[in-house]
Every structure is written in C-alpha cells, then in structure tokens.
Amino acid sequence: MTTTDSPDLLLANYGPDSALLRNTGNANHWLKLQLVGVLSNRSGVGAKVRLLTAGGSWQMREVTSGTGWSSAGPGASFGLGNALQAEIVRVEWPSGIVNELRNVVANQVITVVEQLPPLRIAPTNTWFSGAVTVTLITPLEDVALHYTTDGTEPTTASPRYTAPLSFTQSVTLRARVFLDGLPASEVVSATYLEDVWNDGIPVAWRAQYFGADWFTKTAAGPLADVDEDGANTYQEFLARTDPTNGQSVPDPVPALLVVTPTSGIYAGEVAVSFTTPVPGGEIRFTRDGAEPGADSEAYAGEPVTLLESATLQARVYVNRNPVSGLVEASYTVTPVAPTLVRQPVGATVYEGDAYAFQVLAKGTPPLTYRWFRDGVEIAGALGHELVFAAVTFADAGAYTVQVANDHGAATSEPAVLNVVPRPMPPVIVQQPQSQTIVVGGTAVFAVEVTGTEPFTYQWRFGAAALPGETGPVLRLSNVQKNQAGFYSVLVRNAHGSRGSAHAVLTVVDAPIAPRVTSGPISIAQREGEAAALSVTVAGTSPFAYEWRHNGQLVPGANTAWLNWSALALTDAGTYTVTVSNDAGSVMSMPAIVEVQPLAPGGTVVLDNRVMDALDAPVLDADGVTRLAGPDFFAQLYAGIDAGALVPVGPVVPFLPGGGAGYVQRGQGAMW
C-alpha cells in the first residue's frame, strides 16, 4: 500500500505476524510511473523505463509482472534526490515503440500510455533474397501515405500507398503521412538490401564512399577496382583506404586468399593449407579443377592432404557471396612405397579391458594392412587398427603390422601386449574358525585370501594388534585361560583392505576320564512290567554311553539310562555299559536282568557238585583251562529246537572252590 506522497512497505512473513513500515517521507524527491500498453501488453510488462535528472546520470527500471512475496505492483519508481524534476523520461515498450517525456515534475504518480507513431514501416531495414514485402502502417484516419524509392523526399505528387509493396531489388523506401495535402508526420525510411550485398562490408562504409544509393552501383561490389589502383573494394575495406581514390592505395595490398605450398611436384603426398584475412570468410575449394561455388567443399582449418595429383581451385565467401578472386594451384604427386609415421604402441593391460593397436602410414594409395601376433598372421585383421573389446591372457604377445602398396611394403617394430590380472582388493574366502582348546594346548587360526598380491596381515586379539603376527596363520602354543576371547585378522594390499570375521577361542581344563560311581544294579521283574537300568558316572562331561546285552550293542541305547516300557522274556540277560569322553572310557560291572514269565513252568537246577563232595570242573573250549571266578558266567537256554532258543533264568556266576569252577545250587528261572 502507499500513502499519497511516499510508498510504504508491507512485509509478509512466513510466521503469524506481518509488518507494515510507514514511509513518513523526507526532503528528497521521487517519481513513479504507471504504464498502459496499447500494442504491447496492457500492464507494460517488459518495458524499460529510463530517467535522467539535471547533472545526474541515467537510471533504468524494467517493469515486471509484480507477482511474488516482494512486489509493489507493475510500474517503475525512481528516487530523484534533491532534483525537482526529471529532464527526460524515456519508455522503451516491448513492441519497439519509444515514447519520451521531458521536464516531468517530481513527487507525483503519472500514467504513461503507449503512443503509436503516426507512421511505421514493417519490416524495418533488412536483407532479403528474391523479394521482400513492405507494409506502411498509421493509426491516423482520413490521411494519405506517399512514398519514394529514389532517395527523394515524398510529396503529395509521389506515389500513394494503397497496398503492401513488393521489392525484388535493393531499395531505400521513404514515406510520409499527409492530411489535407499537408505533411502530418516526419519522413520515415527503411533500406532493403539483396543478400548479394551481405558480404561483410558495413553499409555505412559503402555509403561513405559510394553514396546513399551505393547498392545501385557495380563499383561498390567487393571485387570491383573503381580507382584502378590494383586493390579491389574488399581489399580497400580491409586496409581502410578510399576505394574511389587512386592515390589512396593499401600498403601492402592484403591478399584475400593464400594457398601454401604453391604448385609443384611432391613425392608421396602434399599437405595444402588455405588462409584468409576476411572476417567471417569461408573458404570453398574443389579438387578436380572446377570452379568452386558456395556449396563446394569447405576448408575446415586443417591441411588438406593430397595423395594423388590434383588441381585445387579456391575462393572466399561471406554469407554465400564471393569476396575474393579465384586461386588455383596444381600439384603433381609421385608414387612412393609406404612409410610408417606412427608405430603401434605396446602396453600392459588388465584382463577384460579394451585396447587397440594403431598404425599411421603414408604412401601412395591404396594401402593394405596385415597384422601378426608372435609372427603368425591374424585372420581378418586388415585395417589400420587392431581392436580388442576385452583382452584375455591368450591375447598377450608381440604384435607387428605390415603396410603395403604397389610400390613396396613396411613392417612395424614389435609392440608387446602384456595382460595382467585386474587388481582386486583382498577377498577372504576361508574365515578363521572358532575352537575349544585344553589348557596348555595349541590353537591355530588360519585365513585364506584371494585378490592381487602381495598381502599384509595383522592379527588381533579383541581390538588389540598382536605384535609380530603378520602372516596368514596365527599359532598359539601353551594356551592359557587368559587367552580366551575373540581373534580376527586385517588383510591389506595396494587396492584395499578387508577384516575377517571373529573366531572365538575357548580354553578349558584338561578332561578327567570317566569313572562309574554306581550302577547298573541287577533287577528281577515279571514279563510285561516297565523296568530300567542306570549308571552314575564321575569325570569330565560330555560322556558317550554304549549299552550291551550279552555282549551285543543295544541299538539307540546311548544315555545313562536303559529303559523298558514292557519287559519281554528276550530282554533277560547280562547288561553292561561303556562310558567314554575325550580322556578315556570305562565299562561298568554287569547287571543281570531276570524276566519272570507270566505262565508258571518247571525249575532248572544247575549244579556241578557230585554226591555233595566232588566238584566237577568246568573247562574252557580248550578242554584244559579251568574256569572259575567272578569273571565267568553261565546262562541256560531252552527252546523247541536249536534255532529257537531263548535264555531261561538268570545268569549264574562261577564261584571259586576246590580249584575248579562250579555252580552252587544255582536256581534256574521258571519256564
């Protein structure tokens, strides 16, 4: 918002509070303009407003759309200091119209409306090809427009404008508005030039020496020499001399096109260069002796290499218009055998990378190429390049190339291609393994690594580096409990580093061999009842258990308990258990399992005492060794035939006595 005299400032904050800064004014002066466009947009957006005060400098404001957080709306505001007025206010509208106000009093808001000139020509000065159509425009009514094309002032006797004008030749158009036979506008003019004159020579320079109608005179052409001093118009322009005065001669006369070297005989090839001092000049040339045109081959700045005899003709063009004379040079190129300008270059390349051998040769064409690896020709390698999209180890070797033509051959020096593995940071393929070691034992941690050698290693215990442990294997001898913990290794090479996983070292005391402290205890139970044998063991766990029935392993019986959910007659017999750990093993004393049948039967009595006085000896299989003592047992088997025997009754020990084994009234089981 604004007051009548001075603009205020409203600050719209992102927060809840905004601020209004009131401008109470001071002794300085100001001026504000509001714009109203007619041909331009209504608000005059894009217009440039310039203001000049007496004794001051120009100020400029560009009118914007006035949108956004900080805006005072469309228009332009100026501070004038102590000036009481603006000497000049100039508005440059987007349409191209310029309006000026003079002696504008300070401290006011004025509105400037875009003022249309009484006469406009569209288009204004321009180049054209073929024809150009020109329109005269006036906002005035009931007026007449008159024009001339001969450079004279238009009068009511001049041609009257009734429709757009079409010109096919260069012309200067002058026009004026007349009302009731009297001039109602200033004379407005525009010049239209054919593209043939668009040769880089400024219009003003030509008008200076050849007059305002210079475009009607052939003497103003770039190649004309009107003063016959040996320098054409373009050369006079470059030298800034008078093209109409024979006494004003360029010194030296600038050459518009130079060809190097000149005509001659050359062995094998010749490199031809063109130079021109013409600003924006484009050199066009031919190789077959024909005259070049604006569409002929363009010289790109690099020498043109001729391998065969040729006649070159060249000319300089500006905007497709010739500005120099024709230059011709003939070259005779004699045939020569190939020579190598650049040899193939060997390299050390990582496996999988791309690589290319290149050779640069010169000589009379056509040239042929043959590539060899270690002296063996490579099939299909017939160009000046030998390209590997991804080298392999099989591509390693010494490469040569032979370049030939009808006049001889040249072979390159060997270029060696070395193929090496691509550098890789360390990759751990086998981690150190956790382990449990007895106090005093040896722990060994190892790591396996792939990647680019050499590697360095640093083993760590927890976070601390172990001094001297810099190899792939860590060996700890006479391990003690204070060495238990986490071990790892950091592996490095020139391309990176990698840390291993942590391996846990557990240190335990030496194990104690097992010892049976109780059990198993013999039992006698009826057929079908549940039963169990158990053993209690001392020593270092864990323990392994193996139960045996009459010397045979009991499948699945590998705990301290041997359980039956229902005893069968076949379960009767002698049972032992072997207990083992890392320190050794022990076998229990036997336990007898007596299974009493549900159906009663007879009684079997085992007795080797004869007549209550003589003990009949029990002999071993050899028939000599007498069996006696608690280590020997007897078991009765019975059945309907020899293939269906089952144990009957308990196992009976051999008791000592009289030097021979015997059974003293051993009582058999019922069956």
Side-chain angles (χ1 to χ4, degrees):
M1 63 184 297
T2 63
T3 63
T4 303
D5 298 322
S6 304
D8 299 329
L9 179 62
L10 175 65
L11 299 178
N13 296 319
Y14 283 109
D17 298 326
S18 297
L20 176 63
L21 304 182
R22 299 300 302 272
N23 188 348
T24 58
N26 54 31
N28 292 332
H29 302 289
W30 55 273
L31 184 65
K32 182 174 181 179
L33 285 76
Q34 298 285 0
L35 304 185
V36 178
V38 177
L39 285 183
S40 303
N41 60 84
R42 183 67 176 172
S43 298
V45 173
K48 291 182 175 62
V49 182
R50 304 180 191 273
L51 180 144
L52 178 67
T53 57
S57 58
W58 283 96
Q59 301 181 55
M60 193 275 286
R61 303 287 187 271
E62 184 170 354
V63 179
T64 62
S65 60
T67 60
W69 286 101
S70 57
S71 172
S77 297
F78 296 89
L80 305 184
N82 58 7
L84 298 178
Q85 67 177 17
E87 300 299 315
I88 301 175
V89 175
R90 179 180 299 153
V91 182
E92 300 170 1
W93 298 91
S95 65
I97 294 174
V98 178
N99 297 143
E100 280 192 0
L101 297 87
R102 294 182 178 270
N103 303 322
V104 181
V105 177
N107 301 333
Q108 64 171 325
V109 178
I110 63 174
T111 299
V112 180
V113 179
E114 184 176 13
Q115 298 295 318
L116 302 181
L119 178 60
R120 290 187 298 122
I121 301 178
T124 55
N125 304 323
T126 188
W127 302 95
F128 72 91
S129 176
V132 62
T133 299
V134 180
T135 304
L136 303 182
I137 305 170
T138 180
L140 304 177
E141 297 180 356
D142 299 326
V143 295
L145 305 181
H146 294 271
Y147 67 90
T148 62
T149 58
D150 58 4
T152 61
E153 292 285 321
T155 65
T156 54
S158 301
R160 182 171 181 174
Y161 175 81
T162 57
L165 306 174
S166 180
F167 301 110
T168 59
Q169 292 182 330
S170 301
V171 66
T172 294
L173 175 67
R174 299 169 65 85
R176 173 175 270 176
V177 179
F178 291 87
L179 177 63
D180 297 331
L182 297 175
S185 76
E186 299 292 335
V187 175
V188 179
S189 65
T191 300
Y192 304 94
L193 299 175
E194 299 166 83
D195 283 339
V196 68
W197 293 106
N198 190 11
D199 54 16
I201 299 178
V203 170
W205 187 88
R206 275 192 165 114
Q208 175 184 354
Y209 294 107
F210 296 103
D213 60 345
W214 59 267
F215 45 81
T216 64
K217 303 173 182 178
T218 57
L223 303 181
D225 183 9
V226 65
D227 58 3
E228 299 181 346
D229 60 359
N232 62 31
T233 300
Y234 213 104
Q235 291 169 320
E236 301 264 16
F237 162 66
L238 292 178
R240 298 302 191 266
T241 54
D242 185 348
T244 63
N245 183 355
Q247 302 301 313
S248 177
V249 183
D251 185 20
V253 176
L256 299 182
L257 179 58
V258 177
V259 182
T260 306
T262 58
S263 302
I265 300 174
Y266 299 88
E269 66 178 38
V270 59
V272 181
S273 298
F274 300 97
T275 57
T276 179
V278 175
E282 187 176 55
I283 300 171
R284 298 283 179 167
F285 70 98
T286 60
R287 303 169 185 258
D288 57 3
E291 184 171 338
D295 296 316
S296 297
E297 182 177 354
Y299 179 66
E302 295 295 328
V304 178
T305 300
L306 300 178
L307 302 178
E308 298 176 311
S309 299
T311 296
L312 302 185
Q313 290 202 2
R315 176 175 277 146
V316 182
Y317 287 81
V318 175
N319 296 322
R320 301 179 62 83
N321 294 311
V323 298
S324 78
L326 188 65
V327 175
E328 179 179 292
S330 295
Y331 303 92
T332 300
V333 180
T334 59
V336 294
T339 58
L340 302 186
V341 178
R342 185 170 62 239
Q343 297 271 349
V345 178
T348 297
V349 181
Y350 294 126
E351 181 191 17
D353 276 359
Y355 190 71
F357 287 111
Q358 295 179 327
V359 64
L360 179 60
K362 65 179 181 178
T364 301
L367 300 177
T368 61
Y369 300 83
R370 297 167 62 201
W371 288 88
F372 300 82
R373 179 176 61 239
D374 297 330
V376 179
E377 185 171 1
I378 303 171
L382 303 174
H384 73 283
E385 281 189 322
L386 180 60
V387 179
F388 300 91
V391 298
T392 66
F393 291 111
D395 294 324
Y399 288 80
T400 57
V401 59
Q402 183 188 80
V403 185
N405 64 6
D406 292 339
H407 310 283
T411 300
S412 70
E413 296 294 328
V416 177
L417 178 64
N418 297 310
V419 182
V420 296
R422 180 174 295 280
M424 294 178 56
V427 177
I428 297 176
V429 296
Q430 181 62 53
Q431 299 281 355
Q433 301 298 308
S434 298
Q435 50 194 285
T436 299
I437 302 297
V438 175
V439 171
T442 299
V444 178
F445 297 103
V447 66
E448 185 178 341
V449 182
T450 63
T452 301
E453 297 180 347
F455 302 113
T456 62
Y457 303 83
Q458 179 59 63
W459 287 92
R460 297 177 180 273
F461 177 40
L466 294 173
E469 299 298 343
T470 56
V473 177
L474 172 65
R475 182 181 299 274
L476 303 175
S477 302
N478 191 23
V479 171
Q480 302 301 311
K481 286 191 174 181
N482 62 359
Q483 292 176 281
F486 296 95
Y487 289 81
S488 63
V489 62
L490 180 64
V491 187
R492 290 190 176 94
N493 66 4
H495 310 286
S497 62
R498 184 65 58 88
S500 73
H502 288 91
V504 180
L505 175 61
T506 303
V507 182
V508 298
D509 293 321
I512 300 173
R515 178 172 54 86
V516 177
T517 57
S518 65
I521 301 173
S522 299
I523 59 174
Q525 294 184 227
R526 294 183 65 81
E527 180 185 5
E529 291 182 344
L533 296 178
S534 65
V535 65
T536 303
V537 182
T540 302
S541 62
F543 301 110
Y545 299 85
E546 288 184 346
W547 288 88
R548 293 179 180 270
H549 177 206
N550 295 331
Q552 302 298 315
L553 281 175
V554 180
N558 52 15
T559 68
W561 289 81
L562 181 60
N563 298 299
W564 292 272
S565 60
L567 284 170
L569 294 176
T570 56
D571 293 327
T574 301
Y575 288 83
T576 60
V577 60
T578 299
V579 185
S580 61
N581 65 6
D582 290 339
S585 63
V586 64
M587 186 175 71
S588 70
M589 293 296 291
I592 298 171
V593 175
E594 179 183 348
V595 181
Q596 299 170 351
L598 295 177
T603 300
V604 176
V605 178
L606 297 179
D607 196 341
N608 64 336
R609 176 160 291 184
V610 179
M611 295 181 293
D612 294 326
L614 178 63
D615 292 329
V618 179
L619 304 178
D620 200 354
D622 58 8
V624 177
T625 305
R626 295 188 177 190
L627 304 180
D631 292 336
F632 300 96
F633 303 88
Q635 173 70 57
L636 176 64
Y637 285 84
I640 59 176
D641 55 47
L645 297 178
V646 295
V648 178
V651 175
V652 179
F654 282 40
L655 301 180
Y662 66 94
V663 177
Q664 185 178 17
R665 296 293 177 183
Q667 195 69 30
M670 300 299 293
W671 64 286

